[in-house]
């Protein structure tokens, strides 16, 4: 909060982001909270050598539900031969 008397404004949490890569593809999953307090998981994917890709947004009820979805995504990417790539020290490693 900016002002101690302000009971409305709240700091947004840091987004939780996972990145995966195979020899030819890249994938990103991002759990974040919007300004209204709703949680979303944003997924994007694309080829390393072409302009093909896509994305989707899934609304989740809570941070915990979003983490469960990230775990499902991490398992799926692992089964498809992708490795989780570290992009910062704050990256959680989900298996």
């Amino acid at each position: 909060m900016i002002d101690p008397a302000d009971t409305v404004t709240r700091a947004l949490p840091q987004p939780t982001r996972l990145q995966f890569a195979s020899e030819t593809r890249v994938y990103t999953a991002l759990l974040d909270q919007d300004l209204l307090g709703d949680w979303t998981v944003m997924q994007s994917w694309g080829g390393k050598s072409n302009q093909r890709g896509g994305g989707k947004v899934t609304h989740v009820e809570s941070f915990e539900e979003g983490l469960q979805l990230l775990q499902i995504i991490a398992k799926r990417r692992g089964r498809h031969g992708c490795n989780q790539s570290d992009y910062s020290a704050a990256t959680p490693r989900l298996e």
Side-chain angles (χ1 to χ4, degrees), residues 13-76:
Q14 289 286 27
T16 301
R17 179 177 173 172
L18 303 176
Q19 288 186 302
F20 304 91
S22 68
E23 288 186 24
T24 58
R25 309 277 298 162
V26 292
Y27 302 87
T28 301
L30 175 73
L31 171 61
D32 200 6
Q33 192 174 29
D34 65 18
L35 292 174
L36 300 175
D38 298 326
W39 289 97
T40 59
V41 174
M42 292 173 270
Q43 298 176 67
S44 60
W45 53 85
K48 289 183 176 179
S49 62
N50 60 38
Q51 298 299 315
R52 293 180 168 228
K56 73 176 183 177
V57 176
T58 305
H59 296 277
V60 293
E61 292 295 319
S62 65
F63 178 77
E64 291 75 19
E65 185 180 327
L67 282 179
Q68 289 175 352
L69 181 54
L70 288 182
Q71 289 175 335
I72 292 168
I73 293 167
K75 286 179 184 177
R76 184 180 309 132

